[in-house]
Amino acid sequence: MRQTHESDGGLGGFIRQSGYLRKWLILGISIGIIAGLGAVVFYLALDYAGRFLLGYLGSYDIPKPTGDGGDPGSAGFDRPWAIPLIACGGALVSALLVARFAPEAEGHGTDNAIEAVHTDPRSIRVRAIVVKTIASALTIGSGGSGGREGPAAQISAGFGSLLTRWLNLSDEDGRLAVSLGIGAGIGAIFGAPLGGAVLAASIVYREDFDYRALVPGFITSATAYAVLGSFLGFDPLFGFLAADYRFDHPLDLGWFVVLGVLAAGVGWLYARVFYGTVALTAKLPGGKVVKPTLGGLAVGLLALVIPQVLASGYGWAEKAAATDTLMAIPLWIVLLLPFAKILATSLSIGTGGSGGIFGPGVVIGAFLGAALWRLGDVLGAPGLPDSPAVFVVVGMMACFGSVAHAPLAVMIMVCEMTGSFSVIPCAMVAVGIAYLLISRTDVSIYRAQRLDRDHV
C-alpha cells in the first residue's frame, strides 16, 4: 500500500501529526456526523420510495415497527396483481442504475467495505455510495427483501475512505477509519450506538477483535446516533419487546439451548442459500439487469402467498413478539417464515439487487424464535414463557450473531433495538451455542472477513 507523506502542511498534515486523542476525536466525530446524516438520508429515501411504490401504486402499507412510526399496515392486498409488477419494476430500475454507473454497488455492500479495510482503505468511490443509496431505496421500497444497514454502512465507510485519500492518512489509520464507518453506519440506522462501536471492532474478522477500533468507535457511533436521533427520534427500533421479562427460572435456559442449536442451523442455511444463489446466478444466462429483475418478480409472487417476506420485515418481526398478533398468523406461515425470508433475500440481493443482509438476518432469527414458541404452545410444552417476545429477541441475536461471527456486537445491538437487556442470561446461552456450532464450519455471511489479524 502506498503511503505518501511528502507534505506535512494543511489539514492532512495537522491530523497526521496529531496525537492519538486529538486525531481520533477529529476523525471519529467527522465520520460519525456523516454516518448519522447518511443514515437519515437513506432512511428518508427508503421511506418515500416505499410509500410511493408499494403504498401509492400498490395500495399496500407494510407494517412498521414502533421506531418507524408503528403503522400496523394493510390487512391484505387491494391490488394483488400490482405487487409482483412493482417488485419487478423496482428491481429493474435499481439494476439499471447499478450496471450503468457503479457496478460495485451490486449486492449487499458490507463485504466491499470489509474488503477495503483489508486491502485498500482508499478504494471506495463516492459514486458507488450515491448509486448504492438510490438503488437500495428502490429495491427495498418496491418490496425486495433487504436491509437498510448495507447502504448506511457504505455511506459512512465510503466517507472514511474519502478522508483517507483526502488527508493522505496512513494505511493503518485508513483501515481504522473505514471500520469505524461500517460500525457507525449500521449502529446509527438501527439506533444501536454501543453495538455499532463493538461491531466496528469485530466485523472484519471471524475469530479476532480489533481492540484499536473500540474506543474511537465509541466516539464515532455516539456521534452518529446523536445526529440521526436529532432528526428521527431516539426510540428503539422495535420499542420495548421483552421489557416485562425477568429471568427467574433457571430451567428456562433449556429452551434457549434448543433455540441456539436451531439458530445455528438456520444461520448456516441462510449463508449457504444466499451464496448458493449468488453462484447459481453467475452461471445462468442473462445480464446484470435481467437477473435481479427476475429475482424481484419472484419475490413479488412469493409475497402473494406469504406477505411477510416483502421489504425489510421489521414491522412483522415486532408483530411476532406479541401473542395476539402472532396467533393471528396461520401456523403454517409462522413455521415457514424463516425459510421464506431466506429465499426472498437470496432472490432480491443474491441475484444482484442492492440492499443489506444484516436486517433480513435479524428478521429471520425473529421469525425462528416465534416459530419455536408457537410450536411449543401448540404442543403444550412445559416451562414455555407466556409471551413469545423473549424467543423473538434471542432468536434475532443467535441467528445472525453466529453466522456474522460477531456474537457480542449483535447481542448488544439487538438489546438496544428492542430495549430488552433483561434477556441477557438467556441470550448468552443461545448465542454462545449458536456461535460455537457455526465456528466449527467455514460458513460466514460476510465472505470478506479474514480469520484473524495474522491472516490479513
Side-chain angles (χ1 to χ4, degrees):
M1 289 295 155
R2 62 183 182 87
Q3 297 187 35
T4 54
H5 293 260
E6 295 87 350
S7 173
D8 287 328
L11 181 59
F14 172 76
I15 291 178
R16 289 194 301 272
Q17 295 178 58
S18 295
Y20 180 86
L21 176 61
R22 185 167 65 184
K23 177 195 294 183
W24 289 109
L25 274 175
I26 295 171
L27 293 176
I29 291 173
S30 300
I31 295 170
I33 290 172
I34 297 301
L37 291 175
V40 170
V41 168
F42 181 69
Y43 176 91
L44 295 176
L46 178 57
D47 185 54
Y48 292 144
R51 289 177 186 272
F52 177 74
L53 295 172
L54 285 174
Y56 177 72
L57 297 181
S59 192
Y60 177 69
D61 292 325
I62 290 181
K64 293 185 176 181
T66 298
D68 288 349
D71 186 344
S74 302
F77 296 122
D78 290 340
R79 303 173 189 165
W81 55 269
I83 301 302
L85 297 179
I86 291 168
C88 178
L92 171 62
V93 178
S94 172
L96 284 170
L97 285 172
V98 170
R100 173 66 179 84
F101 297 105
E104 67 266 40
E106 175 185 327
H108 62 87
T110 308
D111 261 341
N112 291 338
I114 294 173
E115 188 63 34
V117 173
H118 293 305
T119 56
D120 184 3
R122 300 172 175 83
S123 63
I124 303 176
R125 295 195 299 168
V126 174
R127 177 188 294 186
I129 300 170
V130 176
V131 172
K132 185 73 176 179
T133 301
I134 299 171
S136 297
L138 288 169
T139 298
I140 304 169
S142 62
S145 178
R148 59 198 191 195
E149 83 292 334
Q154 200 152 17
I155 289 169
S156 45
F159 183 68
S161 182
L162 176 64
L163 283 180
T164 304
R165 296 193 300 270
W166 181 40
L167 301 175
N168 202 13
L169 299 178
S170 68
D171 288 339
E172 182 179 355
D173 286 344
R175 292 188 185 99
L176 195 52
V178 176
S179 293
L180 295 181
I182 297 172
I186 296 176
I189 201 73
F190 283 136
L194 178 56
V198 177
L199 191 71
S202 56
I203 196 171
V204 297
Y205 301 111
R206 293 188 187 186
E207 298 180 4
D208 208 341
F209 190 86
D210 189 355
Y211 63 90
R212 298 168 301 174
L214 187 59
V215 175
F218 291 160
I219 297 166
T220 307
S221 289
T223 302
Y225 177 63
V227 171
L228 178 128
S230 299
F231 289 92
L232 302 177
F234 295 96
D235 291 334
L237 177 61
F238 294 106
F240 296 89
L241 290 190
D244 296 333
Y245 178 78
R246 292 294 179 270
F247 177 70
D248 52 13
H249 293 92
L251 293 180
D252 285 357
L253 293 180
W255 280 107
F256 298 98
V257 171
V258 176
L259 183 53
V261 172
L262 293 175
V266 171
W268 180 88
L269 186 67
Y270 179 30
R272 292 304 298 266
V273 171
F274 181 83
Y275 286 109
T277 303
V278 172
L280 179 61
T281 300
K283 297 177 182 178
L284 293 175
K288 290 187 175 292
V289 174
V290 173
K291 295 174 186 178
T293 301
L294 293 177
L297 177 62
V299 170
L301 293 171
L302 177 61
L304 297 181
V305 182
I306 306 178
Q308 291 84 357
V309 302
L310 281 177
S312 68
Y314 302 143
W316 284 110
E318 185 174 319
K319 284 177 179 286
T323 304
D324 55 345
T325 48
L326 177 60
M327 297 300 285
I329 304 173
L331 178 61
W332 69 271
I333 289 184
V334 174
L335 297 179
L336 284 179
L337 265 174
F339 310 103
K341 189 65 176 176
I342 288 173
L343 178 60
T345 306
S346 300
L347 290 170
S348 297
I349 312 303
T351 57
S354 188
I357 54 176
F358 188 123
V362 168
V363 173
I364 290 163
F367 291 154
L368 174 65
L372 178 61
W373 185 89
R374 185 75 182 273
L375 196 59
D377 181 69
V378 168
L379 297 176
L384 189 72
D386 295 334
S387 166
V390 63
F391 276 42
V392 168
V393 172
V394 175
M396 291 179 180
M397 299 172 178
C399 186
F400 195 76
S402 60
V403 77
H405 292 265
L408 178 60
V410 174
M411 191 187 306
I412 295 171
M413 289 188 75
V414 173
C415 282
E416 293 178 289
M417 291 158 62
T418 61
S420 304
F421 284 90
S422 61
V423 307
I424 286 292
C426 307
M428 291 170 69
V429 170
V431 174
I433 288 173
Y435 178 69
L436 288 173
L437 290 172
I438 284 284
S439 63
R440 294 178 65 86
T441 74
D442 60 354
V443 170
S444 175
I445 200 67
Y446 295 123
R447 287 190 160 180
Q449 286 175 326
R450 303 301 193 262
L451 184 65
D452 52 40
R453 280 173 286 177
D454 294 329
H455 292 80
V456 175

